Amino acid sequence: MILAAGRGERMRPLTDRTPKPLLEVHGKPLMQWPLEALAAGGFTDVVVNTAWLGEQIEARFGARHGGSTLHYSHEGRDFGGALETAGGIVRALPALGEVFWVVAGDVFAPDFEFTQAAVDRFLAGGLLAHLWLVPNPAHNPKGDFGLDPAGRATLQDHAGIRHTFSTIGLYRAALFAPPLCGIATGNPGGIKAPLAPLLRAAMEKAQVSAELYLGPWTDVGTAERLTALNAG
């Protein structure tokens, strides 16, 4: 699943007429980078959620792109706006498998590899989520989660260090079901819900693993970061 429903407030006026996932980095729409990386790993059945100017995203990529089949979850059309990350994932659950990737469509990680081996390790571990963490960028100096020596994501620092969540993760559908999540599958009521509380609850039960990714990574959240990427 590629998350593409955000408004991109911090990138206005660029996003007033163009959804953030369609802003270009090195000649490609931002969303095209993770889409191509997923396809390179053999993951060609992709759900894309949309809200702000979502019709432009579907018009740009269509139902098939570069060998991938795209399914759209139009939160803006169905509910008048984005459902936040967890709400959007639950809305898309009927189109997702029991285990699935999620990545934000506005994160630039050109060297990240989506592999079947990672999926197999996750399946064998039996946990609810596996996250890729990155060194803290300047705009998030305190980080999001700790990483213990056993490879579990934690709410506490380890060795005084917290890392930033890259937005890239593997999930089991069970994370988005009771007892951790009370939203009905398919989110028929269009309930807005963030992902972080679910991850924190799962971490408290030691149900989230993680690893550190050291390749190039940028959260393209401002016009300045976009300009810097294209100048590099």
Side-chain angles (χ1 to χ4, degrees):
M1 182 173 183
I2 297 178
L3 304 172
R7 170 65 176 85
E9 290 285 354
R10 291 176 299 163
M11 296 195 77
R12 297 182 68 185
L14 295 178
T15 52
D16 284 346
R17 296 185 178 181
T18 303
K20 187 160 60 166
L22 293 189
L23 297 175
E24 292 194 353
V25 171
H26 300 310
K28 295 180 185 179
L30 262 170
M31 196 186 93
Q32 188 168 330
W33 291 90
L35 182 62
E36 291 180 349
L38 284 161
F43 305 99
T44 57
D45 203 29
V46 181
V47 177
V48 180
N49 71 330
T50 71
W52 175 250
L53 301 177
E55 68 282 355
Q56 292 188 28
I57 295 173
E58 184 172 14
R60 172 63 178 80
F61 288 98
R64 290 190 62 80
H65 182 86
S68 295
T69 299
L70 279 66
H71 313 270
Y72 294 92
S73 177
H74 290 299
E75 298 168 13
R77 182 192 66 194
D78 297 340
F79 301 105
L83 302 181
E84 300 188 49
T85 303
I89 292 172
V90 177
R91 175 67 176 169
L93 275 182
L96 298 168
E98 284 303 306
V99 170
F100 50 89
W101 292 95
V102 175
V103 57
D106 58 359
V107 161
F108 184 67
D111 295 342
F112 186 87
E113 296 181 350
F114 296 88
T115 67
Q116 185 60 45
V119 174
D120 293 342
R121 287 193 298 271
F122 178 56
L123 285 168
L127 301 181
L128 293 175
H130 182 83
L131 312 179
W132 276 264
L133 309 177
V134 296
N136 297 330
H139 58 86
N140 192 40
K142 295 183 179 180
D144 300 312
F145 304 120
L147 179 60
D148 74 14
R152 299 294 174 96
T154 67
L155 301 177
Q156 297 78 32
D157 299 354
H158 276 274
I161 299 173
R162 289 162 66 91
H163 308 284
T164 292
F165 177 33
S166 70
T167 81
I168 302 170
L170 278 165
Y171 300 92
R172 290 183 189 270
L175 176 65
F176 304 94
L180 293 177
C181 181
I183 304 173
T185 298
N187 197 356
I191 296 172
K192 297 180 179 182
L195 178 60
L198 285 183
L199 289 177
R200 293 189 187 105
M203 286 177 196
E204 289 177 346
K205 298 178 181 294
Q207 286 293 303
V208 181
S209 55
E211 61 187 274
L212 193 59
Y213 175 66
L214 299 177
W217 176 90
T218 303
D219 172 5
V220 190
T222 66
E224 291 76 17
R225 288 179 218 156
L226 181 65
T227 298
L229 273 179
N230 280 318

